[in-house]
Amino acid sequence: MYGFTGTVVGIRCKDGIALASDTRGAAYYLVLSKRVRKIFQLEDRIGAAISGSSGDVQSLVNLLKAEANLYRLNHERPISAKSLAQVASNLLHGRRVFPYIAAGILSGVDDDAPHLFFLDPIGGKLEEEKFASAGTGSTVAYGVLEQNYRDDMELDDGLKLAAQSIKTAIERDAATGDKIVVAAIDERGYRELPEEDVAELVK
């Protein structure tokens, strides 16, 4: 499947959100890059994990960051995850004739609870109660998530499960590979885990 290379995962935990991705960019049988960024901070407590064509992903992320900044300037408070997911849905739907080659997860922690949204390339937006995955290895990742997810999962356990699901996708999907990147979002904000911490999660 050209464009949707690699795998991204998001898990909704009781105290936050766990995001994970690989870093491989591929086209057909060619590995174009081993350092493709697929996880992004959009606001203090909002992040996204997006699989797709690098140019389209970067363009979409830049638009969402600009919308979040504009909202903060106009309203003197950060935009909610639900509102930014709706903005993303509108942007994608508006391009449905010539769609962005991008699909993924937008998530964040608002005052009420963590929220996790799956976005498809033509603007479909689904709020997920447990987890979501996108990309060429998503079917493999979903198998790991379905088997190991628990209700009321703590964020630390969610981060481990997210990393493990990407590790399994790397083992089974040729377009998923290289490094694993993991990010956490909770009431303290968005943060990406150091490489040594990620290595511990997949032992």
Side-chain angles (χ1 to χ4, degrees):
M1 189 174 175
Y2 180 75
F4 292 91
T5 60
T7 308
V8 296
V9 163
I11 300 175
R12 184 176 182 269
C13 307
K14 70 177 185 179
D15 53 343
I17 298 287
L19 297 174
S21 79
D22 69 312
T23 60
R24 177 170 291 180
Y28 300 106
Y29 301 106
L30 177 67
V31 176
L32 299 173
S33 174
K34 298 180 180 181
R35 297 176 58 199
V36 175
R37 174 167 279 276
K38 300 175 189 177
I39 293 181
F40 307 88
Q41 180 176 5
L42 303 178
E43 246 293 355
D44 288 346
R45 297 193 294 178
I46 302 175
I50 306 174
S51 171
S53 164
S54 292
D56 286 354
V57 171
Q58 289 165 16
S59 175
L60 179 61
V61 166
N62 288 339
L63 284 169
L64 292 175
K65 284 182 178 179
E67 290 286 349
N69 288 336
L70 193 60
Y71 185 94
R72 186 184 276 271
L73 285 169
N74 289 335
H75 299 274
E76 297 183 350
R77 67 176 189 273
I79 192 169
S80 69
K82 186 173 186 178
S83 296
L84 194 56
Q86 187 60 54
V87 170
S89 173
N90 293 345
L91 286 169
L92 290 165
H93 187 69
R95 287 282 304 264
R96 66 192 180 280
V97 178
F98 299 103
Y100 281 115
I101 302 173
I105 299 144
L106 190 148
S107 56
V109 176
D110 297 332
D111 293 335
D112 56 341
H115 295 280
L116 182 72
F117 299 91
F118 176 82
L119 296 163
D120 70 28
I122 55 171
K125 173 175 69 75
L126 299 170
E127 183 162 11
E128 300 288 351
E129 287 297 312
K130 297 179 179 180
F131 49 76
S133 182
T136 51
S138 59
T139 51
V140 177
Y142 269 123
V144 176
L145 295 168
E146 289 281 2
Q147 193 168 7
N148 296 286
Y149 182 86
R150 301 185 319 278
D151 291 331
D152 290 328
M153 182 175 268
E154 299 274 355
L155 181 56
D156 286 347
D157 294 328
L159 293 168
K160 187 175 182 68
L161 177 55
Q164 292 282 358
S165 65
I166 296 296
K167 181 182 182 223
T168 305
I170 286 173
E171 291 167 354
R172 296 289 178 183
D173 175 47
T176 303
D178 306 301
K179 289 184 180 178
I180 299 171
V181 179
V182 180
I185 310 170
D186 58 18
E187 60 182 13
R188 293 177 293 162
Y190 171 101
R191 64 191 181 280
E192 289 184 18
L193 275 59
E195 285 185 28
E196 55 269 24
D197 289 1
V198 176
E200 286 294 319
L201 293 176
V202 296
K203 275 187 175 177

